[in-house]
Amino acid sequence: MADSKTSSPPSGAQTESAVRPDRYDPQAIEQKWAERWAQNPDLYGAEPSTTSRRKYYALEMLPYPSGALHMGHVRNYAIGDALARYMWMQGYNVLHPMGWDSFGLPAENAAIANRTPPREWTLRNIAAMKRQMKRLGFAYDWSKEVTTCLPEYYRWNQWFFLKFLERGLAYRKKSKVNWCPKCATVLANEQVLPSGCCWRHEDTLVEQRELEQWFLRTTDYADELLQGLDALPGWPEKVRTMQRNWIGRSEGTLVDFKLDGVAGPAGSAIPVFTTRVDTIFGATSIQLAPEHPLVTDLIANDPSLHAKVEDLMQEQVRAKEAGDIGAIEKHGVFTERYALNPFNGERVPIWVANYVLLDYGTGAIMSVPAHDERDYEFAKKYGLDIRVVILPRREGDALDGRPNEPVLPFVETNSLLINSGEWSGLPSEDAIEKMSKYAEEHSFGKATVTFRLKDWGISRQRYWGTPIPIIYCAACGIVPVPEKDLPVLLPEKVEITLAGGSPLGNVPEFVNVSCPKCGGPARRETDTMDTFVDSSWYFYRYTDPTLSDKPLDSDTVGYWFPIDQYIGGVEHAILHLIYSRFWTKVMRDMGLVRNSEPAARLFTQGMIIKGGAKMSKSLGNVVSPDDMVARYGADATRMYTLFGGPPDRDLDWQDDGVAGIGRFLSKVYRFVARNARPGDPAWNSSDGGQLSPAARKMQRVTHQTVKHISEDFAGRWHFNTSISFLMSLVNELYAYEDSLQRGENPHPSKIGLDGAPVPLWLLADVQRKLVLMLAPFAPYLAHELWEMMGETSDLLRAPWPQYDPELAKEEEVEIGIQVNGKIRSRIVVPADASDDQVRELALGDEKVKAAIAGKEIVKVLVVKGRLVNIAVK
Ligand SMILES: [Zn+2]
Ligand SMILES: [Zn+2]
């Protein structure tokens, strides 16, 4: 595909030096293995889906090919790679693919800056990043690679678009849309930050423009997207909460307030959504968002109001800019016009207010000051009527003219209606139901569920994206490109600028086309698709990216899906992770897939920061993976990203930390180099027999380490503690060697452990287990040591070591003995000793005897495995 070059040696690699037994040389070792692995392109290949083996789909989010990996990528992929390798060792058929989310704006900006065609720039970046990934030793099945900017892939985006259109899930509409002036394109709601700025340009405020756009009906699936979250216990709660809030379901009533007097082009009614229709008799004004389409009509005859409304609009813009629209100082302007409350015909003044947002609800609210905090504040400020229409509801309350005056604003739902015509006296819940029904019967409203989620606007006025397969014909209107004519190819030679609309509009060969229906002259759509379309379904394509007659094979997908573990950044919580869930549900309804959710489990890794701040060029605190690999090797670099903290937390990068991991790997290397004796017959014997206490300890620590790391993989992935356990095990091995050097061994040897009280078969077992456990974290070194130990099997698929709970059990524990709370001695007792035995041993200890001599024992407290406290007087 994109990259046909083999990986070249990294800078700093000592290509001439052979691997040496006494010195850990990561560059030499890693180069040797990288070359070997490169010779076997099927190394990480998954078996076909027809196999009877259990499958495991491990997936990291695919990167945008910016040209270089950053440390955040390395951490993301190191987590996924450790998991994939672990699952291979557990005997699973593992799918572990990688690809490129390769459409998007940076390629166009680069094209403008460097006069390089976006395609060339992108493919060059992909090749560079692929080399980095290979150098880092990530075990990807490159035969499954997906590159979204190539027609083999994006033709299926176009195919899906046509299918969505057939199903009524794609439509074109003129509407106010988010426009980033720096991107020079429209953005989806999900791409606008809470501050109102562009997700790519955190300092650039998004503007509103009126444009004809293509939308996908995500709202058709709003309920299911929300309910499906309950069935995803393997997703972080914070992501599920973010999605729930984004989807923002609320139950209420839609009520039309008719305009009193003449109506203009924007209509004669103001639809209002309220969750509290029971308080509608207390509505003393209607508040419109400054950009509400009716505003222009209402103030048409009063030029003095134009400037005031413009001010409100600017205030709202500035509040969004400042990032907190909720804290805006509330201002409003009376339009001098009225609407009619449909429940009682009352004339209600219409205002325009700076805190009402057009894209929230209907862009208009009924203001009930007595029963809403915000409305109360506003009414106080402008002297609007405040009318109490509900009262607190208490046992035995009767409407006998002695109401309990509530403190305003009173917002409880446990309340009774007053001053509300025929509904007075009803409890609020009943009133909401009955009044909603009444509104529906009288055709001015109905009970309704609204969602904050809006349809997904996918048109982008940019070049480097999937052309939308639509043709506009003067005679036939909107004509979809026939399926047989796909793909609509993106033309190569295009003048790219950030001005003047879609660059494709300047390519006559592209634009001018014959209408597929009538054959007459017609024009192609010149907008391209949002790149989040590409990433909404890419992981299905991985299962068979070479299919040329369909986007995916349902049976193959049926075998691999859902993704067992998806790993990526939390910044995608409401972008990619909502879009791809939506896409999956549509695909299911099309009969393409059987799963309703793309991923069973999701893991969001923490960020890598440095000096407490996010790495950025402007702060000059960027750490380059290439530098780290050149200095410490790939194993140390990737292992450090796992060791620096729990993977779900942020990691504050320390170069010293990588050096420390390098030293640890060197210790492992030197130990095995000294102690591997594959030629010795005793190395492969499995002679049990009585073990010395030192040997037994080594065996016990080894089994404990296997137990802990296996549990970490099965549980919370605290690989930092897994690696700590490996370090403890290695320290144990060194302590043992040291004890031999000091002559504490009956059969000392200068180097190595020959003749030591730890038999060679056990030393072999310990080293094998150590290397197997190292394999998911430091694959290069693990492979080198595996070979050094005379192993010929493929380490990638070697069985993960087992532990024996009996052998892992502590035999003896050291406990402290306190006398009146003060430590007086320590004793070693059998781990399974009873409290009575421990008590007896404690009281028999010479130091304890001395400390309590001549005193009366009041109480002896045994804290199992930890201490004994003797109280005396
Ligand atoms: Zn932007
Ligand atoms: Zn036509």
Side-chain angles (χ1 to χ4, degrees):
M1 288 190 80
D3 179 18
S4 57
K5 285 172 234 157
T6 53
S7 61
S8 60
S11 58
Q14 298 164 358
T15 48
E16 73 285 359
S17 84
V19 176
R20 291 168 51 180
D22 56 339
R23 195 174 68 85
Y24 172 52
D25 181 346
Q27 304 300 344
I29 290 172
E30 292 176 4
Q31 198 197 326
K32 165 182 157 182
W33 286 96
E35 277 166 17
R36 273 206 215 171
W37 293 338
Q39 282 160 20
N40 183 359
D42 299 331
L43 189 59
Y44 308 118
E47 281 179 34
S49 57
T50 45
T51 179
S52 59
R53 281 173 64 209
R54 290 177 304 173
K55 65 92 183 180
Y56 195 89
Y57 189 171
L59 184 66
E60 298 109 69
M61 288 180 186
L62 84 177
Y64 176 79
S66 60
L69 294 180
H70 57 67
M71 271 304 171
H73 289 128
V74 176
R75 191 185 203 196
N76 186 173
Y77 309 150
I79 294 168
D81 203 56
L83 176 69
R85 289 177 184 276
Y86 175 77
M87 297 313 291
W88 263 308
M89 295 174 84
Q90 290 286 351
Y92 283 83
N93 181 25
V94 176
L95 178 60
H96 191 217
M98 184 44 78
W100 312 97
D101 189 11
S102 48
F103 270 139
L105 204 55
E108 287 181 62
N109 293 336
I112 294 166
N114 314 322
R115 308 206 66 74
T116 314
R119 181 187 158 97
E120 191 186 316
W121 183 83
T122 303
L123 296 184
R124 203 165 57 209
N125 288 349
I126 288 174
M129 289 167 77
K130 196 167 168 183
R131 273 196 300 278
Q132 287 182 293
M133 288 181 181
K134 287 183 173 174
R135 177 65 189 84
L136 280 154
F138 296 131
Y140 295 127
D141 178 357
W142 289 110
S143 74
K144 300 287 197 291
E145 183 178 12
V146 162
T147 305
T148 61
C149 67
L150 299 180
E152 300 91 284
Y153 185 80
Y154 72 68
R155 67 172 297 163
W156 299 112
N157 288 343
Q158 296 172 340
W159 182 85
F160 274 118
F161 181 88
L162 297 177
K163 297 292 166 192
F164 277 50
L165 201 60
E166 276 171 25
R167 303 178 71 83
L169 290 171
Y171 65 95
R172 187 168 163 82
K173 185 179 82 172
K174 184 166 194 174
S175 75
K176 282 256 169 77
V177 288
N178 310 299
W179 178 272
C180 172
K182 275 202 191 149
C183 291
T185 185
V186 163
L187 304 177
N189 291 325
E190 287 78 6
Q191 292 159 352
V192 181
L193 301 176
S195 62
C197 291
C198 169
W199 68 301
R200 282 191 193 285
H201 302 103
E202 295 186 14
D203 57 347
T204 304
L205 201 67
V206 170
E207 300 165 1
Q208 300 292 307
R209 285 200 183 179
E210 183 110 359
L211 283 174
E212 289 262 8
Q213 295 284 286
W214 283 98
F215 290 86
L216 300 184
R217 282 190 208 280
T218 41
T219 53
D220 270 19
Y221 287 83
D223 248 327
E224 207 201 328
L225 285 167
L226 184 69
Q227 279 160 25
L229 293 170
D230 296 337
L232 290 173
W235 283 40
E237 190 48 49
K238 80 180 156 191
V239 172
R240 293 196 286 164
T241 301
M242 285 166 83
Q243 291 209 356
R244 279 192 194 101
N245 293 340
W246 184 258
I247 296 166
R249 183 181 195 276
S250 74
E251 286 183 14
T253 314
L254 204 58
V255 180
D256 286 338
F257 282 69
K258 272 221 166 61
L259 283 183
D260 189 24
V262 291
S268 60
I270 306 174
V272 161
F273 175 79
T274 174
T275 59
R276 294 299 302 270
V277 72
D278 57 316
T279 64
I280 199 165
F281 281 74
T284 56
S285 69
I286 294 288
Q287 308 282 346
L288 301 179
E291 289 175 303
H292 194 289
L294 265 177
V295 172
T296 319
D297 290 358
L298 295 179
I299 62 175
N301 297 328
D302 188 345
S304 72
L305 288 175
H306 284 274
K308 290 179 183 165
V309 168
E310 180 62 28
D311 284 349
L312 297 174
M313 217 175 286
Q314 290 311 315
E315 284 164 16
Q316 188 171 90
V317 165
R318 279 196 297 275
K320 280 186 180 171
E321 213 160 17
D324 196 0
I325 188 79
I328 192 170
E329 161 109 41
K330 294 177 184 56
H331 287 132
V333 174
F334 178 38
T335 60
E336 316 283 344
R337 293 285 306 265
Y338 293 83
L340 299 174
N341 184 332
F343 278 90
N344 58 7
E346 189 185 0
R347 288 174 86 225
V348 181
I350 304 171
W351 286 61
V352 181
N354 64 357
Y355 66 93
V356 181
L357 299 173
L358 183 66
D359 55 1
Y360 204 84
T362 60
I365 59 168
M366 67 175 205
S367 179
V368 184
H371 307 298
D372 181 278
E373 302 271 356
R374 222 169 44 167
D375 297 350
Y376 185 77
E377 194 189 319
F378 191 84
K380 278 281 183 194
K381 183 166 190 165
Y382 290 100
L384 301 175
D385 281 356
I386 299 175
R387 192 182 306 154
V388 176
V389 294
I390 52 171
L391 292 178
R393 184 179 173 197
R394 298 196 197 115
E395 268 321 299
D397 264 357
L399 292 169
D400 56 1
R402 294 184 292 101
N404 303 297
E405 272 303 321
V407 177
L408 297 184
F410 170 71
V411 301
E412 303 288 311
T413 36
N414 187 22
S415 51
L416 289 176
L417 274 67
I418 57 163
N419 301 331
S420 297
E422 61 188 278
W423 289 280
S424 295
L426 284 178
S428 284
E429 296 101 63
D430 289 1
I432 289 172
E433 207 186 309
K434 290 188 171 138
M435 293 171 85
S436 299
K437 221 171 257 167
Y438 179 88
E440 185 157 10
E441 283 160 13
H442 292 79
S443 308
F444 64 80
K446 60 176 181 188
T448 183
V449 174
T450 65
F451 291 92
R452 185 168 180 263
L453 184 76
K454 298 273 193 287
D455 283 339
W456 174 15
I458 59 153
S459 298
R460 295 293 177 272
Q461 293 67 46
R462 303 302 331 145
Y463 161 69
W464 192 233
T466 303
I468 296 173
I470 287 292
I471 290 166
Y472 301 102
C473 169
C476 314
I478 295 175
V479 183
V481 172
E483 220 175 292
K484 65 171 175 47
D485 294 344
L486 297 184
V488 176
L489 285 172
L490 197 58
E492 293 271 338
K493 290 203 169 61
V494 176
E495 179 69 24
I496 297 167
T497 65
L498 286 178
S502 301
L504 287 178
N506 305 324
V507 187
E509 315 85 273
F510 177 82
V511 176
N512 299 322
V513 65
S514 309
C515 169
K517 260 194 192 162
C518 70
R523 293 175 60 83
R524 279 193 196 280
E525 167 69 62
T526 55
D527 285 353
T528 54
M529 293 184 200
D530 183 359
T531 58
F532 280 95
V533 168
D534 310 342
S535 53
S536 287
W537 69 280
Y538 75 101
F539 33 57
Y540 291 100
R541 186 69 180 171
Y542 279 147
T543 60
D544 194 346
T546 58
L547 286 173
S548 57
D549 58 343
K550 51 187 174 182
L552 56 90
D553 178 76
S554 297
D555 288 334
T556 310
V557 164
Y559 172 79
W560 286 112
F561 273 77
I563 297 161
D564 293 278
Q565 183 69 60
Y566 198 18
I567 306 166
V570 75
E571 67 272 17
H572 294 289
I574 47 180
L575 287 156
H576 164 58
L577 290 171
I578 282 194
Y579 297 142
S580 56
R581 291 184 61 223
F582 160 70
W583 210 278
T584 289
K585 291 172 197 305
V586 176
M587 288 166 75
R588 177 205 57 201
D589 291 350
M590 289 167 67
L592 278 177
V593 304
R594 297 190 274 275
N595 51 302
S596 290
E597 294 287 346
R601 293 175 58 85
L602 171 73
F603 184 87
T604 53
Q605 82 274 0
M607 277 198 315
I608 292 196
I609 55 178
K610 190 161 192 217
K614 198 173 164 179
M615 287 187 187
S616 75
K617 272 184 195 148
S618 57
L619 287 174
N621 63 347
V622 176
V623 177
S624 138
D626 286 351
D627 284 357
M628 288 295 129
V629 170
R631 276 161 71 186
Y632 305 108
D635 278 342
T637 302
R638 50 186 286 179
M639 199 164 174
Y640 173 67
T641 66
L642 302 179
F643 179 67
D648 52 344
R649 307 264 182 80
D650 288 353
L651 184 163
D652 201 339
W653 188 268
Q654 311 283 343
D655 286 3
D656 288 355
V658 194
I661 292 287
R663 284 193 297 277
F664 164 67
L665 294 176
S666 172
K667 274 177 89 167
V668 177
Y669 178 85
R670 283 176 285 129
F671 186 88
V672 176
R674 284 195 295 268
N675 294 293
R677 299 278 182 276
D680 190 321
W683 175 264
N684 285 313
S685 77
S686 55
D687 179 20
Q690 193 65 33
L691 293 178
S692 68
R696 178 63 193 99
K697 189 177 179 201
M698 189 183 288
Q699 186 183 44
R700 183 168 59 243
V701 173
T702 305
H703 282 260
Q704 287 173 345
T705 307
V706 176
K707 178 173 188 282
H708 279 295
I709 297 182
S710 305
E711 286 171 355
D712 275 343
F713 268 109
R716 298 187 57 204
W717 292 6
H718 281 185
F719 298 134
N720 52 326
T721 63
S722 301
I723 295 165
S724 296
F725 276 109
L726 284 179
M727 290 173 169
S728 301
L729 174 61
V730 172
N731 286 342
E732 195 63 44
L733 299 177
Y734 269 70
Y736 178 69
E737 266 189 326
D738 286 350
S739 73
L740 298 184
Q741 303 254 347
R742 289 197 304 272
E744 291 164 16
N745 153 23
H747 310 286
S749 65
K750 286 194 188 67
I751 300 175
L753 303 176
D754 303 29
V758 173
L760 192 57
W761 69 263
L762 177 57
L763 262 185
D765 183 55
V766 171
Q767 290 176 79
R768 274 190 210 107
K769 285 191 164 70
L770 170 65
V771 169
L772 288 166
M773 288 187 283
L774 197 63
F777 307 116
Y780 284 112
L781 176 58
H783 276 79
E784 178 66 20
L785 299 180
W786 195 241
E787 186 178 71
M788 200 184 277
M789 293 191 302
E791 300 290 341
T792 52
S793 68
D794 178 9
L795 178 59
L796 186 75
R797 291 176 174 82
W800 181 255
Q802 300 296 306
Y803 66 92
D804 180 335
E806 281 305 311
L807 296 178
K809 223 191 246 170
E810 286 291 343
E811 286 173 351
E812 290 180 323
V813 284
E814 192 189 71
I815 58 173
I817 306 172
Q818 298 177 340
V819 176
N820 285 349
K822 210 169 167 190
I823 287 278
R824 292 295 180 181
S825 184
R826 292 185 173 280
I827 56 169
V828 174
V829 302
D832 56 358
S834 69
D835 286 2
D836 283 347
Q837 285 172 311
V838 173
R839 175 191 156 105
E840 211 157 296
L841 287 165
L843 293 173
D845 182 76
E846 290 303 325
K847 286 182 196 155
V848 172
K849 275 186 184 168
I852 63 176
K855 292 177 182 149
E856 186 195 333
I857 298 173
V858 182
K859 195 183 177 192
V860 179
L861 177 73
V862 178
V863 182
K864 200 157 190 65
R866 289 184 46 207
L867 63 82
V868 178
N869 188 29
I870 304 166
V872 295
K873 64 177 182 186

